[in-house]
Amino acid sequence: METKKRLALITTWFSPQKSVATNRMEAFATYLSEDFEVEVFALNDHASTNLWNDKVTVHYEKSNALLERLKSKQEDSKFKHKLRTLGHVLLLKLVSNPMEKWKKATLKNLQNRHREQPFDIIISSYAPVEPHLIASAFMEINPTVIWVADMRDEMSKNPGVTGQLKDKNRAVELLVNEKATVITSVSLPILNDFKVLCPKVKYFLEVRNGFSHELKFKVQHDSSKVLKLGYFGSFYGIIKPTNLFKALVELSNVIQFEFHVYGAFSNFEIPNEIKKSVFVYPSLPYQDAILKMNTMDVNIVIHPTNERKGVYTGKLFDYFSARKPVLALMDESDVAAELIRSFNCGYVCDNSNIEGIKESILSIQKDKHMHQLKVANQENIDSLHRSIGVKSLTKLIQVIVNENPASRS
């Protein structure tokens, strides 16, 4: 029986941390471990080595203790959330690199494990940059190992990044360009930028985010006059429900609605006119969240139009999988809007267009009454399972291993 190739996954996002990035990394670990012997090198508030899901070894190292304490928590009050955010910004200004401790400890641990049982492949995932820096340093002394650089976001091309941070990101891109074999990213527009930025890299692969559960739903019709709107996740930066609330205020005397928000921080204001119709809950475990999405008439994505292209947002795929339509307040020309239209499973409107948001909600209400809400078919939904994207990465790695004479047998 052929021995499985060994693979190291380097990321700051892994259980017990919770985020869209964690979901991506756990999918990598889950589905890659079907064909490779996987070890994860991750971040936690203490150093330890644990077995995850009974088959993947995870090596944790810790970073700056203050950085961990300043992470926002959903149960924080609005004042405490702002205080933590301010403290986090100040820490980044005062401490040149709060992740340096984690980077050094993780690199040392990775090298030790490689000496004990050599790795054939390493995958590092940005952001932050530290996983790529660890991988680059590792490749200096292990140049025959296959390096896959996973880009969840843009680096130097991110329009929100300027000055020294932009220069730092570009420097890391140049390291990737020199040493990586593969670059993966979440969408083709972002991937195409990296093809220009890193022309020496041989392989590029889109590995979209997706959903991770095995639940199946039948299309159901609700005859209630109350339109149930769902939102799952946090509001941050420019992603706020301000314009949605303005539209709902103007519609409050026209339709009956409930807006259910799960897992958001206390960093947004609910207008008095609709407070009785807005319900805010703690975050739910993943499968419970999917089940709750399925009880809504429509689930909402907010991603205001800006310079960034190639943004799907992680919750979009979960919404599809819950077999309910999506109200997408986003760039009508970007990839997410195109996917919604191609699957005929939602209503798309620019977040800045309050009249358009009102018209979309009224269309949803009408379609609900007519039992004609737009829902993705099961075949399209199945194509978005995270296993599909990760399996495409598995196939590419196997091709590279087979053509690489320096890889271990």
Side-chain angles (χ1 to χ4, degrees):
M1 183 176 178
E2 186 177 353
T3 304
K4 285 185 175 181
K5 299 294 184 183
R6 283 178 41 78
L7 185 152
L9 174 60
I10 310 161
T11 176
T12 58
W13 295 102
F14 209 81
S15 291
Q17 300 196 66
K18 296 178 181 179
S19 79
V20 173
T22 299
N23 296 340
R24 181 175 178 84
M25 294 295 94
E26 291 185 353
F28 273 40
T30 297
Y31 302 113
L32 289 169
S33 66
E34 293 176 3
D35 296 278
F36 304 101
E37 186 180 325
V38 176
E39 294 188 27
V40 178
F41 296 80
L43 172 69
N44 203 355
D45 56 7
H46 62 278
S48 65
T49 295
N50 301 323
L51 194 62
W52 178 77
N53 277 5
D54 297 324
K55 59 180 178 180
V56 176
T57 301
V58 185
H59 307 281
Y60 291 106
E61 299 293 345
K62 59 184 179 179
S63 66
N64 185 295
L66 182 56
L67 183 67
E68 294 301 308
R69 287 199 291 271
L70 289 173
K71 285 183 178 178
S72 293
K73 299 177 181 178
Q74 202 221 320
E75 63 269 21
D76 287 347
S77 66
K78 192 172 297 184
F79 174 76
K80 184 174 281 189
H81 176 80
K82 290 181 177 178
L83 199 63
R84 286 187 193 271
T85 301
L86 177 61
H88 190 271
V89 171
L90 290 174
L91 177 64
L92 294 178
K93 288 182 179 295
L94 294 172
V95 180
S96 59
N97 188 356
M99 295 294 295
E100 184 68 18
K101 181 177 181 180
W102 177 80
K103 185 187 79 172
K104 289 182 177 179
T106 300
L107 176 58
K108 182 180 179 180
N109 200 358
L110 175 66
Q111 290 171 329
N112 287 341
R113 288 296 299 136
H114 184 66
R115 281 191 288 268
E116 294 166 5
Q117 291 181 271
F119 292 106
D120 303 282
I121 309 107
I122 59 170
I123 301 178
S124 58
S125 190
Y126 166 86
V129 297
E130 279 71 21
H132 286 347
L133 293 175
I134 292 167
S136 177
F138 177 84
M139 293 296 293
E140 285 286 341
I141 52 177
N142 304 286
T144 61
V145 172
I146 297 165
W147 176 16
V148 178
D150 178 49
M151 307 289 192
R152 300 192 310 274
D153 298 301
E154 312 96 325
M155 295 188 71
S156 66
K157 291 281 285 186
N158 190 322
V161 171
T162 58
Q164 290 184 337
L165 183 54
K166 185 180 183 72
D167 294 339
K168 180 180 179 181
N169 283 356
R170 182 58 189 147
V172 176
E173 286 172 347
L174 292 174
L175 293 175
V176 171
N177 184 48
E178 291 295 330
K179 301 171 187 173
T181 308
V182 183
I183 288 179
T184 58
S185 193
V186 295
S187 70
L188 287 177
I190 295 176
L191 197 67
N192 288 335
D193 281 341
F194 280 112
K195 289 180 181 179
V196 176
L197 293 165
C198 302
K200 292 184 180 180
V201 175
K202 187 173 182 180
Y203 296 99
F204 294 84
L205 181 68
E206 180 191 40
V207 182
R208 288 192 300 207
N209 289 320
F211 65 93
S212 300
H213 63 83
E214 305 301 331
L215 299 169
K216 304 283 186 183
F217 299 98
K218 294 181 179 180
V219 177
Q220 297 178 329
H221 302 292
D222 181 5
S223 58
S224 167
K225 292 182 179 179
V226 179
L227 183 65
K228 292 179 69 175
L229 311 168
Y231 184 91
F232 294 77
S234 56
F235 297 115
Y236 56 92
I238 61 173
I239 299 177
K240 293 289 174 64
T242 308
N243 290 340
L244 174 63
F245 283 159
K246 288 178 181 178
L248 289 173
V249 167
E250 294 185 25
L251 290 174
S252 58
N253 293 323
V254 180
I255 64 170
Q256 293 177 269
F257 70 88
E258 296 175 355
F259 184 32
H260 298 267
V261 180
Y262 289 85
F265 298 119
S266 300
N267 59 351
F268 62 99
E269 299 285 346
I270 304 171
N272 289 328
E273 298 94 324
I274 59 172
K275 273 192 174 178
K276 68 180 188 308
S277 300
V278 180
F279 307 90
V280 182
Y281 312 90
S283 59
L284 294 169
Y286 180 62
Q287 295 225 59
D288 291 346
I290 302 298
L291 292 169
K292 187 62 68 173
M293 291 173 195
N294 180 252
T295 68
M296 302 296 157
D297 293 311
V298 63
N299 293 299
I300 297 173
V301 174
I302 300 174
H303 200 280
T305 302
N306 56 49
E307 296 176 59
R308 293 187 69 193
K309 297 293 181 182
V311 178
Y312 282 108
T313 81
K315 65 171 66 69
L316 183 65
F317 303 102
D318 290 328
Y319 285 173
F320 286 174
S321 75
R323 210 80 193 276
K324 288 298 175 77
V326 177
L327 171 58
L329 309 182
M330 59 173 54
D331 185 340
E332 296 178 69
S333 65
D334 204 5
V335 290
E338 292 172 2
L339 186 63
I340 291 169
R341 283 193 290 267
S342 69
F343 283 8
N344 191 31
C345 64
Y347 308 77
V348 182
C349 176
D350 195 287
N351 183 65
S352 65
N353 184 358
I354 294 173
E355 285 301 315
I357 297 172
K358 289 165 56 180
E359 290 173 9
S360 295
I361 293 172
L362 290 172
S363 293
I364 293 166
Q365 177 75 327
K366 179 183 175 182
D367 288 351
K368 175 186 174 178
H369 177 70
M370 301 292 291
H371 293 173
Q372 293 177 350
L373 284 169
K374 299 175 181 178
V375 179
N377 65 48
Q378 193 60 54
E379 183 179 358
N380 284 339
I381 291 172
D382 291 343
S383 72
L384 299 176
H385 196 280
R386 284 187 186 270
S387 62
I388 303 298
V390 180
K391 285 296 183 183
S392 68
L393 177 57
T394 293
K395 290 177 182 177
L396 177 57
I397 292 172
Q398 289 171 337
V399 168
I400 297 168
V401 167
N402 290 335
E403 71 182 16
N404 181 7
S407 65
R408 292 190 308 113
S409 58

